[in-house]
Amino acid sequence: MRILVVGGGYVGMYTALRLQRKLKRGEAQVIVVDPEPYMTYQPFLPEAAAGSISPRHVVVPLRRILPRCQVVIGEATAIDHANRTASVRTLASAEEGTGAIDIHYDELVLAPGSVSRTLPIPGLAEYGIGFKTVEEAIGLRNHVLEQLDIASSTRDPAVRDAALTFVFVGGGYAGVEALGELEDMARYAARYYHNLSPDDLKWVLVEATDRILPEVGEEMGEYAVRELRRRNIDVRLETRLDSCENRVAVLSDGSRFPARTLVWTAGVKPHPILAATDLPVNSRGRLPCTAALQVDGAEHAWAAGDAAAVPDLTSDASGALCAPNAQHAVRQSKVLAGNVLAALRDQPLTDYAHKYVGSVASLGLHKGVAHVYGRKLKGYPAWFMHRAYHLSRVPTLNRKARVLAEWTLAGLFKREIVSLGSLEHPRAEFQLAAGTGRHPEAS
């Protein structure tokens, strides 16, 4: 018996983890397929970008946490569920020139997550920066610090202004938390430049709707806007990005911002693998599921998280679906693993039902908003709750201890404000030396 788990994120990792704990010896083999050898705890990406947490502590190695599962590092390119076969392109495929390999399975768990939802905006593909992976978070940190270096060393006012202008598009968790943390970091870093001050930096948040952070409620969302504007962050509600060609952000209200930094966090969409299956998808490209997390109309196929449209049994609204967020994903994985085991053992299935308890969001160091169990918090208490909640949720005791240690050290010492952008091109110096004969240490 083979159980194939496509995706190593929240749902995939937690489902596989529970399966390996509950399966009897020899009962079934669990295979996990993911392009990366780690699970990323995305709520910590803003703090990783700000330097409060090391990048390696934001990720959880799949092979270490899933020793009894077979972990395949590769990308599922197609799934033929009628024949119980998944085509997977591994790292060795290109080296061998053999193309994708076929993995046969008996039970399928689809948990590929989501990808950034982009729009056909002129210049976005060329100049936009995403904020969904740890690589993007660290790349953005290096980029922001490099802009301070550019602004400090140029004599051209136009170049300086563009370097010091940072535009974030999207007022959800990712955009607001990333903006809050990076603004805090850049404000702190500016004190070490002799010709820069924090007031020289211009931060712009663009949101198409009339509010930000809708998950924390209208009152806390309005407080978040006031808090950001108090920090001289330009919050533009009911405004869209029309173009960013030639590094100029043009907004729907007519504003123009020459900017060398444009961060796109305006939503996500289902992973493309869902369109490469013979399973049903709804109008939004997600897998319609039953409350037991089975793909509706497809036996032996299961899904949860961002990829699945799961009925919300706790809602009074007809046809309501669970929000595609981490709170539901982690809890769904527990029910999903239990139901896969129940199906293997001919036992009754359990419906997923979890009432949304609220949300917490960080607005930077010691600042935040929260709406949990009907209680509204702001400022330091909300920020502390944000950290406490996510520390309790990050997988493994190892990662909890490392993150807590880093937070403790960050409270005792000054921020790290070093840009390591050269890490993104590790062979550049050697290639320069090899191409010109110049020794790296020569003047």
Side-chain angles (χ1 to χ4, degrees):
M1 176 68 71
R2 275 186 169 184
I3 303 171
L4 176 63
V5 180
V6 177
Y10 289 110
V11 174
M13 189 205 72
Y14 279 113
T15 299
L17 181 63
R18 189 165 183 83
L19 285 172
Q20 79 172 4
R21 289 173 177 170
K22 298 296 183 179
L23 281 168
K24 299 174 184 177
R25 185 176 297 275
E27 186 176 14
Q29 178 189 18
V30 180
I31 303 172
V32 180
V33 175
D34 194 85
E36 303 294 345
Y38 51 78
M39 173 265 206
T40 303
Y41 191 72
Q42 292 186 350
F44 279 159
L45 289 183
E47 293 208 45
S52 300
I53 303 176
S54 298
R56 65 184 184 278
H57 297 158
V58 177
V59 300
V60 180
L62 293 177
R63 295 188 191 279
R64 174 180 290 182
I65 199 172
L66 301 173
R68 294 175 55 193
C69 299
Q70 180 183 347
V71 178
V72 178
I73 305 306
E75 183 178 4
T77 56
I79 295 176
D80 181 0
H81 189 63
N83 294 310
R84 306 287 194 275
T85 303
S87 297
V88 179
R89 186 170 56 242
T90 67
L91 294 176
S93 299
E95 298 291 332
E96 297 172 347
T98 55
I101 63 173
D102 289 336
I103 297 179
H104 301 281
Y105 61 84
D106 299 288
E107 299 285 339
L108 173 66
V109 176
L110 264 175
S114 57
V115 297
S116 295
R117 176 176 59 86
T118 58
L119 298 174
I121 295 173
L124 180 60
E126 292 79 11
Y127 302 113
I129 302 172
F131 197 80
K132 192 166 175 59
T133 68
V134 67
E135 293 84 0
E136 288 175 328
I138 303 310
L140 180 57
R141 167 187 169 80
N142 292 330
H143 174 82
V144 169
L145 291 173
E146 285 172 359
Q147 300 315 300
L148 301 187
D149 290 331
I150 291 173
S152 177
S153 57
T154 185
R155 295 182 179 180
D156 187 329
V159 172
R160 176 187 170 95
D161 289 345
L164 295 181
T165 301
F166 307 91
V167 179
F168 286 67
V169 182
Y173 278 125
V176 173
E177 291 192 339
L179 171 59
E181 293 284 352
L182 285 166
E183 192 272 344
D184 252 356
M185 180 201 71
R187 176 178 291 274
Y188 178 87
R191 70 177 67 178
Y192 294 101
Y193 291 82
H194 72 282
N195 57 351
L196 294 182
S197 77
D199 292 336
D200 294 332
L201 281 62
K202 179 182 293 184
W203 299 83
V204 183
L205 176 63
V206 180
E207 168 54 39
T209 67
D210 62 352
R211 58 195 290 195
I212 66 173
L213 297 175
E215 298 87 352
V216 299
E218 185 174 356
E219 182 182 341
M220 290 296 96
E222 291 174 354
Y223 166 80
V225 170
R226 292 196 303 271
E227 168 64 20
L228 294 177
R229 286 174 172 166
R230 186 185 64 79
R231 291 157 60 179
N232 291 326
I233 296 172
D234 187 353
V235 180
R236 302 288 181 106
L237 301 178
E238 298 183 279
T239 306
R240 299 178 308 279
L241 175 71
D242 285 345
S243 170
C244 56
E245 286 186 299
N246 302 317
R247 294 187 183 276
V248 177
V250 180
L251 307 185
S252 59
D253 63 3
S255 303
R256 297 170 60 88
F257 296 97
R260 294 179 54 86
T261 306
L262 187 137
V263 184
W264 180 267
T265 61
V268 296
K269 63 182 180 181
H271 196 283
I273 183 58
L274 300 186
T277 74
D278 54 353
L279 296 170
V281 295
N282 65 11
S283 59
R284 295 195 173 186
R286 298 165 70 189
L287 298 166
C289 292
T290 67
L293 304 177
Q294 289 179 302
V295 177
D296 205 0
E299 294 184 350
H300 308 291
W302 312 78
D306 291 354
V310 179
D312 186 355
L313 300 183
T314 65
S315 174
D316 297 329
S318 175
L321 300 175
C322 294
N325 56 41
Q327 186 177 142
H328 281 299
V330 173
R331 289 170 171 81
Q332 286 172 358
S333 65
K334 182 177 180 179
V335 175
L336 193 158
N339 281 344
V340 171
L341 290 171
L344 294 179
R345 298 166 182 171
D346 293 323
Q347 297 172 350
L349 304 183
T350 302
D351 286 345
Y352 173 76
H354 168 69
K355 189 171 182 61
Y356 194 62
V357 299
S359 300
V360 291
S362 168
L363 301 178
L365 189 63
H366 300 161
K367 298 174 283 288
V369 290
H371 189 183
V372 181
Y373 292 113
R375 297 191 61 186
K376 301 170 184 177
L377 299 173
K378 56 189 178 182
Y380 186 89
W383 172 84
F384 183 83
M385 178 176 286
H386 173 270
R387 281 199 163 183
Y389 173 79
H390 287 300
L391 183 65
S392 71
R393 293 298 174 183
V394 69
T396 79
L397 181 61
N398 177 298
R399 282 298 178 271
K400 295 180 197 297
R402 290 176 182 271
V403 169
L404 183 58
E406 288 203 303
W407 282 342
T408 302
L409 291 174
L412 297 175
F413 301 101
K414 295 181 178 180
R415 281 179 181 262
E416 292 288 348
I417 56 167
V418 177
S419 168
L420 296 176
S422 58
L423 287 177
E424 298 166 32
H425 308 283
R427 297 191 64 240
E429 183 69 14
F430 180 79
Q431 289 173 329
L432 179 63
T436 64
R438 180 179 71 86
H439 190 278
E441 296 179 357
S443 59

PDB file of all heavy atoms in Angstrom, residues 30 63 107 315 347 349 367-368 407:
ATOM      1  N   VAL A  30       4.705   5.704   2.960  1.00  0.00           N
ATOM      2  CA  VAL A  30       4.352   7.100   2.711  1.00  0.00           C
ATOM      3  C   VAL A  30       5.467   7.748   1.893  1.00  0.00           C
ATOM      4  O   VAL A  30       6.636   7.719   2.285  1.00  0.00           O
ATOM      5  CB  VAL A  30       4.146   7.877   4.027  1.00  0.00           C
ATOM      6  CG1 VAL A  30       3.781   9.329   3.727  1.00  0.00           C
ATOM      7  CG2 VAL A  30       3.064   7.225   4.873  1.00  0.00           C
ATOM      8  N   ARG A  63      13.517  15.572   5.697  1.00  0.00           N
ATOM      9  CA  ARG A  63      14.115  14.258   5.947  1.00  0.00           C
ATOM     10  C   ARG A  63      14.331  14.014   7.442  1.00  0.00           C
ATOM     11  O   ARG A  63      14.226  12.883   7.907  1.00  0.00           O
ATOM     12  CB  ARG A  63      15.442  14.134   5.195  1.00  0.00           C
ATOM     13  CG  ARG A  63      15.290  14.170   3.688  1.00  0.00           C
ATOM     14  CD  ARG A  63      16.603  13.844   2.983  1.00  0.00           C
ATOM     15  NE  ARG A  63      16.523  14.124   1.567  1.00  0.00           N
ATOM     16  CZ  ARG A  63      15.975  13.321   0.663  1.00  0.00           C
ATOM     17  NH1 ARG A  63      15.436  12.188   1.064  1.00  0.00           N
ATOM     18  NH2 ARG A  63      15.946  13.643  -0.611  1.00  0.00           N
ATOM     19  N   GLU A 107      -3.277   5.662  -2.446  1.00  0.00           N
ATOM     20  CA  GLU A 107      -4.002   6.806  -1.885  1.00  0.00           C
ATOM     21  C   GLU A 107      -3.220   8.076  -2.203  1.00  0.00           C
ATOM     22  O   GLU A 107      -1.990   8.095  -2.082  1.00  0.00           O
ATOM     23  CB  GLU A 107      -4.178   6.666  -0.373  1.00  0.00           C
ATOM     24  CG  GLU A 107      -4.978   5.454   0.065  1.00  0.00           C
ATOM     25  CD  GLU A 107      -6.470   5.603  -0.183  1.00  0.00           C
ATOM     26  OE1 GLU A 107      -6.939   6.756  -0.312  1.00  0.00           O
ATOM     27  OE2 GLU A 107      -7.169   4.572  -0.241  1.00  0.00           O
ATOM     28  N   SER A 315     -20.025  27.523   9.929  1.00  0.00           N
ATOM     29  CA  SER A 315     -20.608  28.774   9.445  1.00  0.00           C
ATOM     30  C   SER A 315     -22.101  28.608   9.207  1.00  0.00           C
ATOM     31  O   SER A 315     -22.578  27.549   8.777  1.00  0.00           O
ATOM     32  CB  SER A 315     -19.917  29.210   8.151  1.00  0.00           C
ATOM     33  OG  SER A 315     -20.549  30.335   7.593  1.00  0.00           O
ATOM     34  N   GLN A 347     -12.729   1.979   8.558  1.00  0.00           N
ATOM     35  CA  GLN A 347     -13.372   2.605   9.706  1.00  0.00           C
ATOM     36  C   GLN A 347     -14.109   3.858   9.250  1.00  0.00           C
ATOM     37  O   GLN A 347     -13.822   4.401   8.177  1.00  0.00           O
ATOM     38  CB  GLN A 347     -12.327   2.941  10.781  1.00  0.00           C
ATOM     39  CG  GLN A 347     -11.614   1.733  11.365  1.00  0.00           C
ATOM     40  CD  GLN A 347     -10.464   2.118  12.279  1.00  0.00           C
ATOM     41  OE1 GLN A 347     -10.058   3.289  12.347  1.00  0.00           O
ATOM     42  NE2 GLN A 347      -9.913   1.137  12.988  1.00  0.00           N
ATOM     43  N   LEU A 349     -15.238   7.721   8.687  1.00  0.00           N
ATOM     44  CA  LEU A 349     -14.472   8.950   8.520  1.00  0.00           C
ATOM     45  C   LEU A 349     -15.006  10.044   9.448  1.00  0.00           C
ATOM     46  O   LEU A 349     -16.143   9.987   9.904  1.00  0.00           O
ATOM     47  CB  LEU A 349     -14.539   9.433   7.073  1.00  0.00           C
ATOM     48  CG  LEU A 349     -14.090   8.432   5.998  1.00  0.00           C
ATOM     49  CD1 LEU A 349     -14.156   9.092   4.617  1.00  0.00           C
ATOM     50  CD2 LEU A 349     -12.691   7.900   6.277  1.00  0.00           C
ATOM     51  N   LYS A 367       5.069  46.036  18.005  1.00  0.00           N
ATOM     52  CA  LYS A 367       3.807  46.608  17.522  1.00  0.00           C
ATOM     53  C   LYS A 367       2.989  45.523  16.829  1.00  0.00           C
ATOM     54  O   LYS A 367       3.535  44.709  16.086  1.00  0.00           O
ATOM     55  CB  LYS A 367       4.089  47.759  16.541  1.00  0.00           C
ATOM     56  CG  LYS A 367       4.839  48.930  17.167  1.00  0.00           C
ATOM     57  CD  LYS A 367       5.231  49.962  16.148  1.00  0.00           C
ATOM     58  CE  LYS A 367       6.430  49.556  15.322  1.00  0.00           C
ATOM     59  NZ  LYS A 367       7.697  49.579  16.067  1.00  0.00           N
ATOM     60  N   GLY A 368       1.688  45.523  17.084  1.00  0.00           N
ATOM     61  CA  GLY A 368       0.854  44.517  16.446  1.00  0.00           C
ATOM     62  C   GLY A 368      -0.617  44.755  16.691  1.00  0.00           C
ATOM     63  O   GLY A 368      -1.019  45.677  17.413  1.00  0.00           O
ATOM     64  N   TRP A 407      15.485  35.300  19.458  1.00  0.00           N
ATOM     65  CA  TRP A 407      14.729  36.449  19.966  1.00  0.00           C
ATOM     66  C   TRP A 407      15.373  37.006  21.232  1.00  0.00           C
ATOM     67  O   TRP A 407      15.449  38.217  21.420  1.00  0.00           O
ATOM     68  CB  TRP A 407      13.295  36.028  20.270  1.00  0.00           C
ATOM     69  CG  TRP A 407      12.428  35.916  19.065  1.00  0.00           C
ATOM     70  CD1 TRP A 407      12.667  36.452  17.829  1.00  0.00           C
ATOM     71  CD2 TRP A 407      11.173  35.243  18.969  1.00  0.00           C
ATOM     72  NE1 TRP A 407      11.639  36.150  16.975  1.00  0.00           N
ATOM     73  CE2 TRP A 407      10.700  35.413  17.638  1.00  0.00           C
ATOM     74  CE3 TRP A 407      10.400  34.523  19.874  1.00  0.00           C
ATOM     75  CZ2 TRP A 407       9.494  34.875  17.204  1.00  0.00           C
ATOM     76  CZ3 TRP A 407       9.190  33.994  19.440  1.00  0.00           C
ATOM     77  CH2 TRP A 407       8.742  34.165  18.130  1.00  0.00           C
TER      78      TRP A 407
END
